Amino acid sequence: MKHIKIINRKTLAHTVPDGGCGECRTSCQSACKTSCTVANQKCENPRTQKRPLETAR
Amino acid sequence: MIHAYELHGRYIVLDVESGAVLDVDSAAFSALHTPPELHTAEQAEAWGELMSLKAEGLLFTEPPLESGRDVYSLPQSRTDIRGGPPPLKALCMHVSHDCNLRCGYCFAHTGDFGTGKRSVMPPEVAEKAVDYLLERCGGRENLEIDFFGGEPLMAFDTVKHTVAYAKKRAPGKRFRFTLTTNGVLLDEETIAYLNAEMDNLVLSLDGRKDVNDACRGRTYDSLLPKYKRVIETRTGDYYVRGTYTNRNLDFAEDVLHLASLGFRNISLEPAILPPGHPLALGEGCLPALNAEYEKLCGLMADGADFSFFHFNVDLEQGPCVYKRLRGCGAGVEYAAVTPEGDVFPCHQFAGREAYRLGSVLDGSFRDDLSARFMSMNCSDREDCAVCRAKYFCGGGCAAANLTVNGDIHKADRLGCELAKKRLDCAIYLKSNQVCE
């Protein structure tokens, strides 16, 4: 594309079928202790991580 | 819902509900803000590209989960606790409700959490806390124990006892240990132990010497060699973590100062204080704080060799949508234990009797109170439902809401605005990394 560069095409929807296992770290245990940031926690679920990108061509 | 913004000359589009991120040129950016019938030829061309991405499911998408869905009710969430409450998997162990510093902004009221009682957790209570976690963790494989206080190294024997006990009691579980320290009691022996046993260390330091020493006693000179010794000998994760207040709205200078000292993992957090506190941040500080985050990410885009905790966003390997909606999990997956064995939804609730969840001594757990925290699902909260940061901040901090507004459900507006700005900066850095 001429006008757009895709930085991330992996969508949240692809985590719906296998997500929610609860194995990932609790965000407040990492460094903050006074505010909540969840998006920097790594997914621990191998099934979710292996699922192909549903929006990828 | 999309969020289109410009930062340091980059035009970025976040499709909030899918998490897709686009770096666009000025024609595409302006096309998003102009009625299609008024598009120039170049804007029309860019609009065509945007519409093709919409067709691919990368723009103007619907929420991945329907509103009101119970994000804790999945079979895979409950593992072997069918029909029961979601498993507890992380404990913040307040091994010491005492501290050897008197920091001006301490939410723990200099260690005793406002109880007036200074105490250290006995090893027997620590064992009960580990047992409590194991009894409530269901099939979770990864468990977390965080040693906190007060100052946890004032109860170093309890820390060591807890680690040994947990490993012996449940060799099949993977424990991740974290310890947050003010550094005063660090010496060669404790450093060697912590580097061997702690998966993560959080080392408190506020930045520049005058900034640090204004709130944390005159500790800068004595702490610096100790922290350098820690990271020289450490292979595990660590963060040098500071707090900023209304006295250092130019906190980017403190981040850069910590980086100049050789620290590579840095976190600097806004002080959470009630309105009227002499160090409290207010909404009036917001323009200065936003400008400071923008300045920091601009400088980091030029080739920073350090990471800043709130700019660490993993766009591809980050958590699932359920985790993002659950947020921190306080009172549900995560709880704090006091030296007396009382259980609270998180470390910031310790000492607030109305929020006492139970006790590790008798195994009690208030399901009704836990359910109130489970219901803090950001897809159901009006403010969060329309917020661009909802999948990144997880609905914010209940304890901050209580401290600032007296209600766990009433959002701390300053915290919300800062979360949004940090998200913008984090995505900018990712975009810049890919495009440069």
Side-chain angles (χ1 to χ4, degrees):
Chain A
M1 283 184 283
K2 181 179 168 186
H3 299 278
I4 300 169
K5 188 174 184 76
I6 299 172
I7 305 301
N8 177 49
R9 61 163 65 238
K10 187 164 188 173
T11 69
L12 295 176
H14 95 281
T15 68
V16 170
D18 297 324
C21 73
E23 291 287 355
C24 56
R25 285 193 201 200
T26 305
S27 56
C28 244
Q29 301 288 72
S30 45
C32 55
K33 287 292 182 194
T34 50
S35 59
C36 187
T37 305
V38 296
N40 51 18
Q41 304 301 312
K42 188 174 183 302
C43 178
E44 301 274 0
N45 185 338
R47 283 192 301 169
T48 300
Q49 290 305 316
K50 282 178 184 171
R51 184 171 286 271
L53 307 187
E54 64 179 27
T55 58
R57 288 190 232 208
Chain B
M1 174 172 38
I2 65 164
H3 171 54
Y5 64 102
E6 185 270 337
L7 185 55
H8 297 310
R10 299 214 85 87
Y11 299 104
I12 295 166
V13 180
L14 167 68
D15 185 67
V16 174
E17 302 294 351
S18 72
V21 175
L22 312 175
D23 189 279
V24 305
D25 66 8
S26 59
F29 188 77
S30 61
L32 283 166
H33 298 89
T34 307
E37 62 272 21
L38 299 179
H39 281 168
T40 65
E42 192 177 27
Q43 285 173 326
E45 183 181 63
W47 185 250
E49 293 182 7
L50 290 165
M51 290 301 99
S52 73
L53 292 177
K54 180 184 177 188
E56 272 194 65
L58 294 179
L59 269 181
F60 306 111
T61 54
E62 294 297 318
L65 292 179
E66 67 275 21
S67 178
R69 177 150 174 191
D70 178 1
V71 292
Y72 284 102
S73 68
L74 308 160
Q76 62 266 40
S77 299
R78 303 210 177 232
T79 56
D80 57 352
I81 305 186
R82 300 283 174 186
L88 179 71
K89 53 104 54 185
L91 269 191
C92 182
M93 289 183 56
H94 293 217
V95 289
S96 168
H97 267 193
D98 197 359
C99 190
N100 41 19
L101 291 181
R102 294 290 181 266
C103 303
Y105 45 63
C106 183
F107 68 74
H109 299 271
T110 70
D112 70 359
F113 285 80
T115 62
K117 182 182 177 187
R118 298 189 177 276
S119 53
V120 166
M121 183 182 283
E124 312 85 66
V125 174
E127 289 187 8
K128 294 268 188 188
V130 173
D131 293 343
Y132 188 85
L133 174 62
L134 291 169
E135 283 160 15
R136 303 195 71 84
C137 72
R140 292 286 182 274
E141 294 173 9
N142 297 307
L143 304 179
E144 296 154 60
I145 292 180
D146 178 17
F147 298 103
F148 199 63
E151 170 50 40
L153 291 184
M154 293 177 76
F156 191 39
D157 287 344
T158 300
V159 171
K160 290 189 285 190
H161 186 85
T162 306
V163 171
Y165 181 76
K167 287 181 172 179
K168 182 180 173 187
R169 174 85 164 67
K173 299 288 187 185
R174 179 183 178 193
F175 285 96
R176 287 184 171 125
F177 298 106
T178 295
L179 186 138
T180 300
T181 180
N182 64 28
V184 171
L185 294 177
L186 284 175
D187 58 21
E188 281 297 320
E189 181 193 345
T190 52
I191 290 172
Y193 176 84
L194 297 174
N195 280 348
E197 297 291 351
M198 295 297 131
D199 296 89
N200 187 23
L201 265 184
V202 183
L203 309 165
S204 299
L205 189 70
D206 284 351
R208 292 164 291 181
K209 177 180 164 71
D210 60 325
V211 170
N212 181 80
D213 288 359
C215 281
R216 305 187 62 81
R218 293 178 181 169
T219 54
Y220 179 94
D221 287 334
S222 61
L223 291 181
L224 207 51
K226 293 178 181 181
Y227 288 175
K228 287 190 170 181
R229 181 65 180 154
V230 170
I231 65 167
E232 281 169 9
T233 53
R234 183 165 180 77
T235 55
D237 294 340
Y238 76 89
Y239 274 92
V240 172
R241 183 215 181 278
T243 299
Y244 66 77
T245 71
N246 62 22
R247 304 283 169 84
N248 60 319
L249 298 178
D250 60 343
F251 66 86
E253 297 300 328
D254 295 293
V255 175
L256 297 173
H257 179 74
L258 293 171
S260 75
L261 296 171
F263 300 119
R264 290 292 162 263
N265 304 302
I266 298 167
S267 176
L268 211 66
E269 300 278 334
I272 304 298
L273 295 165
H277 190 286
L279 298 174
L281 298 160
E283 291 190 37
C285 301
L286 200 53
L289 298 177
N290 281 343
E292 206 63 11
Y293 280 116
E294 288 187 5
K295 173 185 167 185
L296 181 59
C297 82
L299 291 167
M300 291 179 70
D302 291 335
D305 57 355
F306 65 93
S307 74
F308 180 63
F309 180 72
H310 280 300
F311 291 168
N312 293 345
V313 170
D314 189 339
L315 295 174
E316 296 191 346
Q317 302 290 317
C320 63
V321 66
Y322 306 101
K323 166 76 172 183
R324 291 169 187 263
L325 291 172
R326 290 170 185 169
C328 69
V332 185
E333 298 172 303
Y334 170 54
V337 182
T338 69
E340 291 73 37
D342 293 325
V343 180
F344 290 89
C346 86
H347 51 287
Q348 289 199 70
F349 282 96
R352 296 177 188 262
E353 276 304 308
Y355 291 93
R356 185 177 175 275
L357 266 174
S359 169
V360 302
L361 302 184
D362 60 14
S364 58
F365 186 85
R366 279 183 57 193
D367 288 328
D368 62 322
L369 182 55
S370 180
R372 285 178 60 194
F373 282 83
M374 280 172 67
S375 71
M376 294 185 67
N377 177 339
C378 72
S379 70
D380 290 344
R381 293 161 62 183
E382 285 183 13
D383 289 356
C384 295
V386 295
C387 177
R388 67 180 186 262
K390 63 180 173 180
Y391 294 117
F392 292 83
C393 89
C397 175
N401 294 351
L402 185 64
T403 299
V404 175
N405 293 322
D407 183 343
I408 60 171
H409 292 96
K410 190 173 179 185
D412 164 25
R413 297 310 314 169
L414 179 68
C416 288
E417 294 305 315
L418 295 180
K420 286 188 258 187
K421 177 55 69 177
R422 293 189 295 233
L423 170 64
D424 288 354
C425 294
I427 292 177
Y428 160 79
L429 284 171
K430 289 285 179 193
S431 187
N432 198 65
Q433 191 178 27
V434 171
C435 295
E436 291 295 312

